[in-house]
Each structure stands twice: as C-alpha cells, then as structure tokens.
Amino acid sequence: MANESVDDLDVLVVGAGFSGVYQLYRLRDLGFTVHLVEAGSGLGGIWHWNCYPGARTDTHANIYQFTREDLTNGWNWSELFPSWSEMRAYFDYVDEKLELSKDISFNTRVLAAEFDESANKWTVSCDDGSTIRTSFLDINTGFGSKPYIPDLEGLDSFEGRCHHTALWPQEGLSLAGQRVGVIGTGASGVQVSQEASLDAAHLTVFQRTPNLALPMQQKRLTVEDNDAMRAEYPEVFPARGETFAGFDFDFVDKNATEVSAEERNATYERLWQAGGFRFWLATFQDTLFEDEANRYAYDFWRDKVRARINDPALAEKLAPTEPPHPFGVKRPSLEQWYYDMFNNDNVSLVDLNGTPIERITAKGVQTSAGEHELDILVLATGFDAVTGGLTSIDIRSTDGKTFGEVWADGVRTQLGVATAGFPNLLFGYGPQSPCGFCNGPTSAEYQGELVVQTLVHLRDNGLARIEATTEAEEEWRTLIADFWDTTLFPRAQSWYTGVNIPGKHVESLNFPLGLPTYREKYQESADNGYAGFVLT
Ligand code: N01
C-alpha cells in the first residue's frame, strides 16, 4: 500500500506487536475492512526493535504466545524464556499461518492524524507520503516504542559505536573482544550486560539504582516438554484472565506478616527455586502494600544475592543492606548470571551515586573519578514509557490539540482505551490500562477482545462515532490514583510513573488494580451501553 492513498477502511491498526496483530486478525475475521501500518520491517513490536545481545522474554513461553489452537498446535518452544530471535521466528510462523503480511504496510511510520467531524473519519498521514482514510483508528504502539536517550553532555563526540538497546542495529553488533560500557541497569541493561560479560574484553556497568533482579531459572525445552505444556493449555489459558498480571500464577491469599518465619521463608524459597516472576507476583498478598511484609521479601532477596558476590563492597552496591526502594515496586528483572559475573576480572561496576557521569568523551565515559575507555557504549536507559507511543504521533483532537498537550498535567482516559476529544480512536496496551502490570500477550487478547467487541457493537448498531466523556475520565483517574496511594509503588522512581522522563507528569501510568478488575469495569460499561462514552 506504500504511497497509495486509501479511502475506505473500517479500521486502521497501528503497530505489529502482539496487540496490533491480534486486532488485525480478529477484525479481519469479523468482516471489517482493516489494514495495519508498522514502522519496522517485520512483525513483533518490541521483539523487532529490541534485538540487542541477550534480549529475551521474562515471561515463560507457555503464556507468552497467542492462544489460538491452530497456532499452539504447530509451534514448539526451545527455551522456557525465549530469546528475541525465537520470538521473531514465532511471529514469522504466525504470519505464515494467518497470512498477515498481505494486510500490513511495513517500513511505514504514522506521522499524523486528523479527524474529519463531518464524515466521522480519520485522515492518517504516513512517512512514505501515503494518506489513509479510516472510520476507526486502533493504536497499538505498546508501552516501550519511544526510546529515552538522556541528555548526556558530549554524547555526540563519542568515537566508538553507541546504541540504545531498543535501536540496536538490525544487522547485529558483536560485543566479543570489545570494551563495552552499559549505562542503565533495568531489564535491558541486565540482559545486555550478562551477554557482554561472556566475551567482551571488558564490561563496565554504570549503575544508578541497583536492580532487585530475580532468578530466571531458564530451561531448554524438548518436544515432550512442549507436549506437556500443550496438555495444560485448556486450563492455563483461561486462568490468565483471572490473575492480577495475566500470568498462570497469582498472589497467595495470606499476609507475610501473619505467618511464621518458617512458613514465610519456605514460601520464599519455593518461589525462588520455581523462578521467573513468582517471587514477585505469586508471593504474599501484602508484599506491595505493607512495609514490614515488603522488608521480609527484600531481606530474603538481598541475602540470596549477596551470597553470590565475592567482594563485600561490591555486594553492598548490588544488593545494599538497606533497600534502595521497596521490593517489587520498580520492575524487577530476571537474571541468569548477572550477579556472578561481577566476580569475573573482565567485569566492573561503576556506582554513579558515588561517582556520577560528568560527560561522554571521544574515548568513553568520564565520571568524577576518571575516564572509562570504551569501544561500544550501550544506552540501556529505557523509554518514555506507556504514553510515548501516542504522544510521539501528531494526532489532533477535535480542538486541534495533541495527546501531549491534552495530557500535559496528567493522562486522561476512559478505561485506558480512549480520550475525550479523540473520537473513534481506541488504543490497546496503553495508558491507564493494565499494560505495564500485565503480561503482554494476555493483555493483547483480553483487553484486545474488549476493544474488538466495542467496534462490533458500534457496527451492529449502526453507530458511526464513539468518544470518551470527561466525567468518566475523571472517575477512572481517581480510581487509579486512590488505589495507587494505598500501595508502596509511589516510593520508587521508575517508568511506572513517568518520573524517568524529565518534565513528564508523575502519576500511575498503568491501571494498578489488576486484570480481573479491569475486565469487570470494562464489561460493566459495555453492559450499560458503553457508559462513559458518547455513541452516535
Ligand atoms: O528501562 P528502565 P529498560 N544516567 O527504565 C538508567 C521491559 N523490558 O529498557 O533506575 C544513568 O527499566 C536508569 O537508572 P535509574 C520491562 O518491562 C523487558 O531496562 O533511573 N543511568 C535505569 O537503570 C522493563 O521494565 C525485557 O536510577 C540512567 C535504566 O537506565 C521495561 O521494558 C527486556 C540515566 C533504565 O531502565 C524498561 O526496561 C527489556 C542517566 N541519565 C525491557 N537515565 C524483558 O526481559 C536512565 N538511566 C522481556
């Protein structure tokens, strides 16, 4: 469709990650005229862009996929936590099975969109010069499509290779034999650092806040393992919609403060050995709410991690005696040999709190303690998360304002799918939805299906327009803010609140009451004729 102008779409989907792909095949199957536009050259969303060494899922494979039987029957996973390249192969497989590419314009970025009130249609402009007219705009740009590069003095002067993890060269870049520096210790920093530690001449990790990372407990999977997983899908898949974060496990119905020390530690040990996010999301229900409960979890984590680090001074930096913030309220990463690698001679840690970065030089990173010479500088510095995908497109409200302008003093949405002033525009895996607190593929299907059913309702009732009301937005916002304040989340500085981006309004960007409550609220609105929206 490149450079052609299209006039008659029912729905234009933006973004070919899990959410966008779900929208495409569901809407197409339901008879909508639908097309998808994707900035990258392939499917996969974050798995297209994040191809840095070591990138892999931190959700176990059985629930990190589409649940259609025609897809699960023909695909075997090779690892419990698949790598980015396996995720890409999976998306190729999905493409082949569902014949998606014929309805996708790749290498095409949506630049702008304007709503024509007289026709109730969006006119969408793309960077290849094409324009698309569509009744509905269905944006699925994900939570991490706008990389954040901090304003580090001298960054342009660096003479080596410098890449943000989410803008990694598609042709690959080997870290072997190189002097590698990694700024940032979030999930991306942990993963790329682990990989670099294997064969870089030297790896320097620049840490501002230690990551309270959890053991992945990675496994290779055989065909028999896959068959065993498949046998459980009929139970596992529907169970995801009933858990807080869309996983196949959930918080236990007990408080850490109310059980014996033996029971508490035995539970922690079991979750630790089982691996993945269980120590975070299958633990005592008071962990993310009560200081005392949280501190039990932190102390267990700290002692486990410190036992793996030989140098006590280094151990204090990576797993401090006192928590840098409550456990689990800043996204923990999954790790395999992250802590052990600091025992190797080719790995060093720079604590940016003690010795901050002064500037980037031609040769490397200059901190207050000296210069670290590097061949490759990796910026694992995160994203303008959750809202960045929407605010970076020049979409105009009926008053001529952008999302950035409308949300300057805080995000406003009804049910995390629509904003007043932007009729016929629905977004998935976006602001004030479970998003960052929900397994991506689970959200793609559960929240995605609610969006699909909304579009079906409009079509079946001959309705041409849907728009959120400002009253409903205010209620949604208050629900989120009030709940947020009962948790320990506000006590960490993280992308969960937007505080990582200079000037961004600080608030809960995600819906923090869990997927089941989200589904209930959405259904309640639908059952009441889409209360909180004006349909015409
Ligand atoms: O980004 P982040 P990420 N000077 O924002 C540091 C998902 N994900 O790309 O913590 C020095 O978490 C910053 O320091 P601090 C996952 O949901 C999943 O790693 O602000 N440092 C922090 O350490 C994840 O949560 C996978 O003190 C600076 C880091 O950069 C989300 O994406 C893999 C700095 C940014 O961490 C984001 O993860 C990767 C500066 N000026 C990502 N500015 C999977 O495993 C920032 N930092 C599936």
Side-chain angles (χ1 to χ4, degrees):
M1 202 165 84
N3 287 316
E4 281 174 32
S5 292
V6 177
D7 219 21
D8 55 355
L9 286 181
D10 295 328
V11 186
L12 178 71
V13 179
V14 183
F18 273 104
S19 293
V21 164
Y22 183 82
Q23 294 297 304
L24 174 61
Y25 73 68
R26 279 291 289 145
L27 292 169
R28 200 175 61 180
D29 288 353
L30 289 164
F32 288 86
T33 312
V34 53
H35 191 82
L36 190 152
V37 173
E38 163 58 47
S41 60
L43 295 176
I46 54 160
W47 300 112
H48 173 78
W49 298 104
N50 289 264
C51 55
Y52 57 84
R56 65 178 59 255
T57 74
D58 47 17
T59 301
H60 36 295
N62 63 331
I63 57 160
Y64 204 77
Q65 60 182 336
F66 293 112
T67 60
R68 289 170 62 129
E69 215 177 336
D70 57 345
L71 293 176
T72 56
N73 277 345
W75 181 263
N76 286 328
W77 295 102
S78 73
E79 290 182 300
L80 188 57
F81 295 90
S83 67
W84 67 270
S85 52
E86 187 163 15
M87 289 311 304
R88 278 199 186 182
Y90 172 71
F91 271 96
D92 286 346
Y93 161 77
V94 172
D95 188 9
E96 196 185 308
K97 284 287 246 192
L98 305 184
E99 299 183 13
L100 300 171
S101 283
K102 66 182 171 66
D103 293 318
I104 302 180
S105 299
F106 290 106
N107 300 307
T108 308
R109 187 175 285 278
V110 170
L111 296 179
E114 267 186 39
F115 192 68
D116 173 352
E117 294 239 45
S118 61
N120 282 327
K121 279 183 193 269
W122 285 97
T123 304
V124 178
S125 314
C126 302
D127 65 352
D128 63 353
S130 62
T131 56
I132 301 168
R133 291 268 286 178
T134 178
S135 299
F136 295 93
L137 195 45
D138 185 348
I139 302 192
N140 297 268
T141 42
F143 84 94
S145 56
K146 186 174 178 198
Y148 167 62
I149 296 181
D151 189 13
L152 295 165
E153 193 191 321
L155 192 55
D156 290 344
S157 68
F158 181 60
E159 287 174 355
R161 301 283 302 262
C162 175
H163 296 285
H164 187 282
T165 43
L167 298 170
W168 201 257
Q170 290 291 323
E171 67 279 11
L173 173 63
S174 169
L175 306 177
Q178 305 292 304
R179 295 167 303 171
V180 179
V182 177
I183 300 181
T185 54
S188 307
V190 165
Q191 291 186 334
V192 74
S193 294
Q194 280 187 151
E195 214 60 24
S197 75
L198 298 177
D199 55 12
H202 195 87
L203 165 67
T204 309
V205 178
F206 296 90
Q207 169 186 286
R208 200 162 62 179
T209 309
N211 193 319
L212 313 188
L214 298 172
M216 177 175 269
Q217 313 289 22
Q218 171 71 305
K219 265 193 242 149
R220 297 223 40 103
L221 298 176
T222 61
V223 172
E224 291 72 36
D225 292 328
N226 276 273
D227 287 339
M229 280 182 349
R230 252 188 297 275
E232 291 179 349
Y233 289 162
E235 265 177 55
V236 165
F237 287 162
R240 297 167 314 152
E242 307 304 324
T243 68
F244 175 86
F247 278 68
D248 51 352
F249 46 70
D250 211 351
F251 293 100
V252 292
D253 207 5
K254 280 185 179 179
N255 292 329
T257 48
E258 286 168 5
V259 297
S260 66
E262 284 91 48
E263 179 175 348
R264 202 166 44 236
N265 286 325
T267 304
Y268 288 154
E269 186 62 36
R270 180 174 53 75
L271 298 171
W272 194 266
Q273 296 308 333
F277 281 143
R278 289 179 182 82
F279 190 82
W280 182 33
L281 299 174
T283 188
F284 298 101
Q285 62 186 4
D286 53 350
T287 307
L288 303 177
F289 295 88
E290 299 295 334
D291 274 312
E292 186 187 343
N294 195 281
R295 186 64 198 246
Y296 288 136
Y298 180 79
D299 287 355
F300 185 94
W301 172 86
R302 178 200 60 205
D303 295 348
K304 280 282 194 193
V305 167
R306 286 178 84 116
R308 291 163 57 187
I309 305 162
N310 299 340
D311 173 359
L314 200 53
E316 184 58 27
K317 292 195 163 82
L318 290 162
T321 309
E322 291 303 311
H325 50 75
F327 170 77
V329 298
K330 182 162 180 160
R331 165 75 148 59
S333 303
L334 298 187
E335 58 84 29
Q336 299 180 78
W337 57 89
Y338 183 67
Y339 296 108
D340 316 87
M341 77 183 189
F342 287 100
N343 297 325
N344 301 348
D345 290 341
N346 73 330
V347 180
S348 49
L349 182 81
V350 173
D351 175 9
L352 295 179
N353 297 311
T355 55
I357 295 175
E358 289 183 340
R359 64 185 167 279
I360 309 299
T361 64
K363 290 193 172 149
V365 174
Q366 174 77 44
T367 69
S368 60
E371 189 177 29
H372 299 266
E373 293 194 5
L374 304 169
D375 303 308
I376 298 178
L377 175 59
V378 181
L379 301 174
T381 44
F383 300 90
D384 178 356
V386 189
T387 52
L390 281 160
T391 56
S392 57
I393 307 174
D394 185 13
I395 306 171
R396 296 289 163 157
S397 71
T398 45
D399 291 343
K401 294 196 177 116
T402 62
F403 272 105
E405 287 162 350
V406 172
W407 290 344
D409 62 350
V411 170
R412 280 169 176 76
T413 75
Q414 160 63 336
L415 295 167
V417 289
T419 291
F422 297 88
N424 291 8
L425 188 158
L426 300 170
F427 37 86
Y429 210 56
Q432 297 186 337
S433 81
C435 189
F437 291 149
C438 187
N439 175 33
T442 306
S443 173
E445 293 190 342
Y446 277 95
Q447 193 206 15
E449 188 57 25
L450 292 164
V451 169
V452 166
Q453 290 309 323
T454 306
L455 292 169
V456 169
H457 175 86
L458 295 168
R459 181 183 66 181
D460 292 354
N461 291 282
L463 298 161
R465 178 172 162 138
I466 181 169
E467 184 174 353
T469 69
T470 50
E471 297 75 27
E473 287 179 346
E474 219 37 56
E475 261 181 54
W476 193 246
R477 197 178 154 69
T478 306
L479 176 71
I480 291 172
D482 288 352
F483 183 82
W484 190 245
D485 288 340
T486 67
T487 71
L488 300 174
F489 280 97
R491 302 241 302 267
Q493 310 270 304
S494 98
W495 64 263
Y496 284 163
T497 64
V499 71
N500 62 322
I501 302 300
K504 191 164 172 174
H505 187 84
V506 177
E507 61 189 325
S508 172
L509 291 171
N510 303 295
F511 179 78
L513 287 86
L515 182 62
T517 309
Y518 178 80
R519 294 173 59 211
E520 234 171 75
K521 298 271 177 204
Y522 203 116
Q523 201 53 53
E524 214 174 275
S525 159
D527 292 345
N528 289 292
Y530 286 90
F533 297 93
V534 176
L535 310 187
T536 40

